Amino acid sequence: MRALTVIPGRKHSLALTEMPEPEPSPGDLIVDALAVGVCGTDKEIAEAEYGTAPPMADRLVIGHESLGRVREAPDGSGFAPGDLVVGVVRRPDPVPCGACAIGRFDECRNGGYVERGIKQLDGYASEVWTVEPEYAVKLDPGLERVGMLMEPTSVVAKAWDQIDKVGGRSWFEPKRVLVTGAGPIGLLAALIGVQRGLEVHVLDLVAEGPKPELVTALGAVYHHEGIEAVVKEGEPDIVIEATGATSLVADAVAATGSFGVVCLTGVSPEGRNVNVDVGALNREMVLENDAIVGSVNANLGHYATAAEVLREADPGWLGRMITRRVPLEHFDQAFDLGPEHVKAVIELERS
Ligand SMILES: [Zn+2]
Ligand SMILES: [Zn+2]
């Protein structure tokens, strides 16, 4: 079979590799891949900034935004041949820490977790993959073209779960949400906001391309003229920051109304200093009981929520989020999207 692999730490090593089909461990599902989504993490791995190969291996199969169809499922696994499935990315650390011990491996405390396609486990960008049934999630059959959006949706479902928990420390009935960034994470965060009946505003830099239409089609409001213009119309109760743009992070905190919750989901590069008036930030946070929470990854509960979110969403809208689909042999075209693009997908189905 063919797989998309990289030698972690070595630039320009991303390549199509011929390798034997994986041997299933007892109880595993065997899955014929349909597609993988490509995100910033994959780009960092391809650029040798991130990623670890499995023990004793040189190459790592990348791909963590999976979608496949079950070929073989053991009796009692809860799956059947033909089921549409997604594999979960993270596995708990072996100790395990207190968080992993209760299934909150998305909040692992010792860093000993492993991740399919990222850290010490081969990913899902191969024509065939195996997965433990307890780390596989069944998808609605109607999601055959868009189910690889499940993993980013799980990340966003977790962000919303964190916002609920932080807001839940007092009376919390948010009305306005500002999402910064109209990439896949921002758009899926906006989708959940709309599904919850909130007034959703999305801020991005681009004025053209599919992003404005995608936001408007949701029933949300698109902005591209900077955060001040958005806040002038009314302070958001919640900000979901999905760009990692250094200057936006402080602006996001300043933008909220009283008891504002800012959830940071984007990872900023280090070493980009901006001038921030920390005193003003402190004043704002204290006097308004504001909170900032960072959120990454997702546990099985968030995958279950994400499956619901996608089932409720318009499949046509989800399909328009995927602005580039390439066959496996043209994988490189999934790694060079311009800012007007939203999501690239590599198709893996064998004809
Ligand atoms: Zn990703
Ligand atoms: Zn742990």
Side-chain angles (χ1 to χ4, degrees):
M1 68 168 188
R2 295 178 303 166
L4 190 54
T5 68
V6 70
I7 300 173
R10 190 184 298 177
K11 282 192 182 191
H12 313 297
S13 64
L14 184 64
L16 264 189
T17 314
E18 191 62 41
M19 57 196 290
E21 289 193 7
E23 277 297 317
S25 298
D28 280 1
L29 310 177
I30 304 177
V31 179
D32 288 310
L34 293 174
V36 286
V38 174
C39 77
T41 300
D42 299 298
K43 286 173 196 160
E44 284 182 26
I45 295 170
E47 281 157 23
E49 290 165 11
Y50 206 58
T52 318
M56 318 296 288
D58 299 330
R59 304 196 76 96
L60 170 74
V61 177
I62 69 161
H64 58 275
E65 302 182 2
S66 62
L67 179 67
R69 194 177 289 293
V70 174
R71 184 200 290 177
E72 278 178 41
D75 288 341
S77 64
F79 290 86
D83 283 348
L84 208 56
V85 282
V86 160
V88 172
V89 177
R90 193 175 284 193
R91 301 291 180 276
D93 79 79
V95 173
C97 74
C100 286
I102 58 161
R104 302 300 304 244
F105 49 78
D106 54 322
E107 283 142 10
C108 177
R109 306 305 153 87
N110 65 21
Y113 61 83
V114 289
E115 291 178 326
R116 297 282 302 253
I118 303 172
K119 187 172 183 271
Q120 294 170 271
L121 289 178
D122 278 335
Y124 299 108
S126 55
E127 288 173 311
V128 184
W129 40 269
T130 60
V131 67
E132 316 89 301
E134 59 273 31
Y135 290 104
V137 183
K138 204 181 296 189
L139 280 189
D140 187 277
L143 296 168
E144 183 174 4
R145 294 281 289 163
V146 294
M148 75 300 282
L149 296 173
M150 169 77 157
E151 193 276 338
T153 307
S154 74
V155 167
V156 171
K158 169 169 175 184
W160 275 105
D161 175 39
Q162 294 294 303
I163 290 163
D164 290 340
K165 290 195 163 88
V166 172
R169 73 199 193 280
S170 178
W171 177 81
F172 191 51
E173 281 182 13
K175 292 201 165 53
R176 279 171 73 95
V177 187
L178 169 61
V179 178
T180 53
I185 296 292
L187 287 171
L188 292 166
L191 168 67
I192 295 181
V194 170
Q195 286 182 346
R196 289 177 166 214
L198 300 171
E199 178 191 324
V200 179
H201 297 260
V202 180
L203 173 67
D204 199 281
L205 290 172
V206 300
E208 286 169 28
K211 289 176 177 179
E213 184 277 325
L214 283 163
V215 169
T216 312
L218 272 183
V221 186
Y222 188 80
H223 303 265
H224 62 90
E225 280 137 352
I227 197 164
E228 299 81 10
V230 187
V231 175
K232 216 181 281 172
E233 294 171 22
E235 291 179 321
D237 306 301
I238 296 167
V239 179
I240 300 178
E241 206 300 299
T243 69
T246 313
S247 60
L248 260 181
V249 175
D251 287 346
V253 178
T256 60
S258 277
F259 202 74
V261 179
V262 176
C263 184
L264 304 177
T265 67
V267 181
S268 307
E270 289 178 12
R272 286 195 197 157
N273 298 324
V274 290
N275 267 322
V276 175
D277 183 343
V278 176
L281 200 66
N282 165 285
R283 224 182 136 72
E284 164 99 12
M285 288 195 67
V286 171
L287 296 180
E288 293 191 342
N289 290 291
D290 286 344
I292 310 177
V293 60
S295 182
V296 72
N297 199 254
N299 63 42
L300 294 172
H302 303 128
Y303 276 84
T305 306
E308 278 298 296
V309 166
L310 292 182
R311 201 172 55 80
E312 301 273 306
D314 168 14
W317 184 85
L318 294 170
R320 294 205 302 284
M321 267 185 66
I322 299 161
T323 50
R324 185 173 286 173
R325 289 179 187 269
V326 297
L328 183 53
E329 54 274 22
H330 297 310
F331 65 86
D332 50 321
Q333 293 170 12
F335 285 78
D336 63 350
L337 295 188
E340 70 284 4
H341 271 279
V342 179
K343 187 81 189 167
V345 158
I346 300 172
E347 299 193 317
L348 289 154
E349 191 171 15
R350 288 199 271 208
S351 44

